[in-house]
Amino acid sequence: MRIMIIDDERDIVDFLASLPGWADIGCQVAWTAANGQEALDRLRANGPRSLPDVVVTDIRMPVMDGIAFAEELRRRHPEIPVIFLTAYHEFDYARKAVKLGVADFLTKPFLPEELIRTVASLRDHEPRLAGWQEHDRFFERLADEQDGDEDKRLWLAEQGLRDGGFQLLYAELDAPRDADGEHFPFAAAHLRGQLEQAAETAGLRGRTSSSASGTYLFVPADGSAGGREALLAFAKGVAEGNGTDGGLSLSVGISRAFPSFCRLPEALRQVKRCMEYRMLLGKNSVIAYDAMESFLNEKEKETGAALGLIADALRGGGAEAVRALLKESYRSMLAVGASKKDVQHYALGLVEKAEAALADVGLKPSHGDSVRIREKLLRAVLLTDIMKELEKQLLAYQEIMRAGLADSPLKVISDVRQLIREQYMEELTLQSVAQKLNVNYSYLSRLIKKETGTNFTDMLWDFRIEAAKNKLLREDLKTYEVAYAVGFKDTAHFSFMFKKKVGVSPSAYRASARGGSAQADD
């Protein structure tokens, strides 16, 4: 095999070109270049009868970088495989390379023998390269959210493919290297080839595609040895190293089952979410989205309730009300398996809710205090330290609230909001609220407008819509049931107001938050 090496650092090019290991695998470095444009010029000068079998290129280079070079090479010579040399932190930049049919990545820093092994592995998988390019086009086309379902189905028909159900599996490297600096270079072709072979052995006929740090396996529901249980068993085997290189630490995410290939974008989001929650389970984990979603919904219910109560705790009840809220919510989070990172996010959410409660009555903490508490929460090492800092700050906010509302018209606004919070699902009017607070109706109307810039009806609608958003995410209710539960008497009016204030319909909001597509449920 003849190899071309492209890098703007001459010392690196010379070093890589002179590696003695090339001869051991039957390869030779026939061409070098300092950037993508120089490489293209050499290919053009050599002509179609003298082309490299493999190109090894850096990504960041002057004149023409590796991405632009790969795009042009794909147009001219799509059959030539490309290996990218990339720093791990450049993977977001390198992700575009997946769409270019790039054969492999090798993460920097790497040992010379790792590059030799990567090229040898690529040669071993050479019979699969043409099929992989077809698989990559499949993923690229169906993952494009700019195209509608009809366009995608038309494309499938043109390819001789029938639409149907599927599940998506994603195997990702747990870390690029361990704490002691041991190398775990990510060679995409190596992992992709091993995963594909393991799937074939297990009777799973699917398509693969590489990402920046792992490999996707698209498994159609076509009567092969698929099904949820078979896929879970296969995923467990992959995580345990069965059929793959046991030296790689992998975790696996599995999407829900979908009825149409056109739902691939949703499946991609689901397996990405699975990888985000790998931290709760550790390395070599298998995370099924449907099971994870149930866990997350439970955690959201536990912590969401506390977030909704913080305003009440600040307005009244004293310090013990704040401490009791924190103690109960902290215990609930630990009970559902929250990590330190989860608790930090929750603590930041409480701070934001507390500051929003202050803003509701025209009060605002100092900018310095607001910044400092966030820095302390993110810097804290122990969970107990997070909760101590949070308690101290919330008690300070409670004192700001108490002092600000004493003998102030803002106290009336606070009481109005409290009434709405407690009775938003009932028939509330400005007249009835004024009567309950024992204030003049006209005075109350003018005060609300002056202090909040809005009127009572809009305040009520805003709270009902926020309550509806929480119910859509945390309760298994139909859209019309949510409407009635938050005080709307007309479901059409509810849908109109929800879309006006949120920007999307209730069903679309729920589907977007859960990583799915909107379906009419009313």
Side-chain angles (χ1 to χ4, degrees), residues 144-337:
D144 188 348
E145 297 196 71
Q146 301 301 313
D147 284 348
D149 289 357
E150 288 305 315
D151 290 334
K152 291 179 180 179
R153 290 191 182 97
L154 179 61
W155 180 83
L156 286 169
E158 291 172 350
Q159 308 305 309
L161 301 173
R162 179 180 297 177
D163 191 14
F166 76 95
Q167 278 186 271
L168 187 68
L169 179 147
Y170 179 58
E172 182 175 275
L173 212 61
D174 283 321
R177 60 192 75 252
D178 68 11
D180 298 323
E182 183 180 349
H183 282 264
F184 287 102
F186 175 57
H190 181 61
L191 177 58
R192 185 174 183 176
Q194 288 197 321
L195 187 66
E196 194 170 87
Q197 288 174 342
E200 291 169 357
T201 301
L204 299 172
R205 298 193 298 273
R207 291 175 171 81
T208 60
S209 186
S210 294
S211 79
S213 54
T215 297
Y216 297 102
L217 175 64
F218 180 99
V219 183
D222 58 358
S224 61
R228 187 178 188 277
E229 295 306 316
L231 201 58
L232 281 171
F234 172 73
K236 184 178 180 181
V238 169
E240 292 174 350
N242 298 339
T244 59
D245 187 344
L248 296 178
S249 179
L250 298 170
S251 287
V252 182
I254 306 173
S255 75
R256 284 177 169 176
F258 288 95
S260 168
F261 291 2
C262 301
R263 306 281 290 276
L264 179 59
E266 298 164 50
L268 290 168
R269 285 192 289 270
Q270 288 186 4
V271 293
K272 179 181 179 182
R273 193 88 187 274
C274 289
M275 290 299 106
E276 291 172 358
Y277 276 82
R278 168 178 40 183
M279 64 181 178
L280 299 179
L281 301 175
K283 295 181 179 181
N284 305 112
S285 301
V286 175
I287 309 116
Y289 184 83
D290 51 4
M292 184 197 73
E293 187 181 40
S294 175
F295 159 74
L296 293 180
N297 286 342
E298 186 61 30
K299 185 164 66 176
E300 284 182 355
K301 289 177 185 177
E302 295 286 352
T303 60
L307 290 173
L309 293 173
I310 186 60
D312 297 340
L314 292 183
R315 289 189 178 94
E320 286 310 309
V322 172
R323 293 192 179 103
L325 172 67
L326 291 177
K327 183 177 180 180
E328 179 59 31
S329 59
Y330 179 55
R331 183 166 55 242
S332 297
M333 289 194 73
L334 293 181
V336 296

Side-chain angles (χ1 to χ4, degrees), residues 12 15-16 19-22 56 83-86 105-120 176-177 180-187:
I12 293 178
F15 173 72
L16 294 179
L19 292 177
W22 293 126
V56 178
I83 296 174
F84 267 156
L85 306 179
T86 175
F105 302 93
L106 189 62
T107 55
K108 296 177 181 178
F110 58 87
L111 301 174
E113 55 266 29
E114 290 168 357
L115 176 58
I116 301 296
R117 283 201 301 267
T118 298
V119 174
R177 60 192 75 252
D180 298 323
E182 183 180 349
H183 282 264
F184 287 102
F186 175 57

